[in-house]
Amino acid sequence: MKKPNIQVCPSILSADFGRLAEEAGRIEKAGADAIHVDIMDGHFVPNLTLGPRALAAINRATDLFLDVHIMIYNPFDYIEELVKAGADRITFHFEATEDVEDTLAFIRKCGKKAGLAFRPETSFSMIPKYLTQCDLILLMTVSPGFGGQKFMPEVLEKVRLTREACDLRRIRQGGIVAEGGISLPPFDIQVDGGINLETGKECVKAGANVLVSGNYLYGLPDLAAGVKSLKSL
Ligand code: DX5
Ligand code: ZN
């Protein structure tokens, strides 16, 4: 099978919050596929970040796809507001609600991409049932809450198993997984936390095709060169 295109989503959490509009423009100019916006409530994770008003400001500053990762309890209650603020994809945590299916369905009903995120310690066995209900699975490679943490290599096995489960499901659904070099849009598997060239490569090898990166990209002298090198993994 042809190598999937790798999408790179710089995390605006590592940017200068005093200049969010300029930072959004900088990410766009750097050739990124999306801006990853982390929204935290201080309960599901012990940190507070941006909210819908900041998201709307980012949206006014760029045409780029807004990839919104919400680390909040009762995610259903915030979907409408986030959609209004400009979210293109909303990814919430499996561990944050008992209404996973309704929340995924509601995001899709709003015409947006639905993503489901899993903490590093959540078992792979929870994932397969949702593969037909969402557009993206986010496998956290750090404990959610803060940028700049160390990548957890034990999550790689979950990435491999999730990709395998996606491929199997596609085969069963009518042989969509092609042999002989036909390329197809992959089901999106995103990794988030501690992603750099080295850990990103491991994740891509295991089956991830959407890379979030904060501290690594923002620590480089040239954001565009960093995006390009991650995209070429
Ligand atoms: C952590 C956030 C991440 C964070 C990643 O909870 O979900 O998106 O910004 O930052 P790095 O790449 O620095 O780990
Ligand atoms: Zn995130």
Side-chain angles (χ1 to χ4, degrees):
M1 250 227 319
K2 200 173 156 263
K3 193 173 161 272
N5 280 337
I6 303 304
Q7 296 165 35
V8 174
C9 317
S11 173
I12 207 159
L13 188 60
S14 297
D16 179 352
F17 274 25
R19 306 180 314 127
L20 283 179
E22 286 107 300
E23 292 284 4
R26 192 156 83 94
I27 295 173
E28 188 169 344
K29 273 201 212 87
D33 296 277
I35 301 179
H36 184 82
V37 184
D38 290 300
I39 295 187
M40 308 183 189
D41 67 353
H43 293 278
F44 180 70
V45 291
N47 196 8
L48 292 161
T49 52
L50 303 165
R53 288 193 68 192
L55 182 66
I58 294 169
N59 188 39
R60 285 195 295 276
T62 178
D63 291 327
L64 214 52
F65 187 93
L66 296 185
D67 176 39
V68 179
H69 174 198
I70 55 176
M71 285 152 272
I72 56 184
Y73 282 119
N74 305 319
F76 191 99
D77 299 348
Y78 300 91
I79 303 303
E80 247 173 317
E81 211 178 337
L82 293 168
V83 167
K84 266 194 218 128
D88 293 299
R89 177 169 59 216
I90 301 174
T91 301
F92 64 93
H93 272 263
F94 166 77
E95 303 86 359
T97 175
E98 290 186 352
D99 299 324
V100 172
E101 302 198 9
D102 288 350
T103 308
L104 288 172
F106 186 53
I107 297 170
R108 282 181 154 181
K109 197 171 151 222
C110 294
K112 303 299 168 189
K113 300 261 187 223
L116 188 58
F118 294 84
R119 285 181 179 271
E121 63 276 17
T122 303
S123 152
F124 163 74
S125 63
M126 300 295 138
I127 298 176
K129 94 176 242 212
Y130 298 109
L131 292 175
T132 51
Q133 301 175 33
C134 64
D135 303 291
L136 171 142
I137 294 285
L138 163 54
L139 298 171
M140 289 304 297
T141 41
V142 297
S143 203
F146 298 91
Q149 302 181 75
K150 203 171 161 287
F151 177 80
M152 296 168 70
E154 57 270 37
V155 181
L156 287 169
E157 183 59 12
K158 198 156 59 173
V159 177
R160 257 189 298 278
L161 291 169
T162 305
R163 177 56 72 199
E164 204 176 274
C166 291
D167 289 349
L168 274 174
R169 175 184 128 258
R170 281 162 175 256
I171 288 168
R172 283 201 205 104
Q173 283 189 346
I176 307 171
V177 169
E179 283 172 24
I182 305 166
S183 133
L184 295 159
F187 182 92
D188 288 325
I189 299 180
Q190 183 177 51
V191 283
D192 181 9
I195 300 298
N196 55 34
L197 273 187
E198 197 186 313
T199 57
K201 192 171 184 163
E202 289 298 306
C203 291
V204 168
K205 230 173 45 193
N209 68 307
V210 187
L211 306 177
V212 175
S213 180
N215 261 38
Y216 167 68
L217 280 180
Y218 279 88
L220 296 172
D222 183 348
L223 187 63
V227 168
K228 198 168 166 203
S229 59
L230 283 175
K231 277 186 78 67
S232 67
L233 287 178

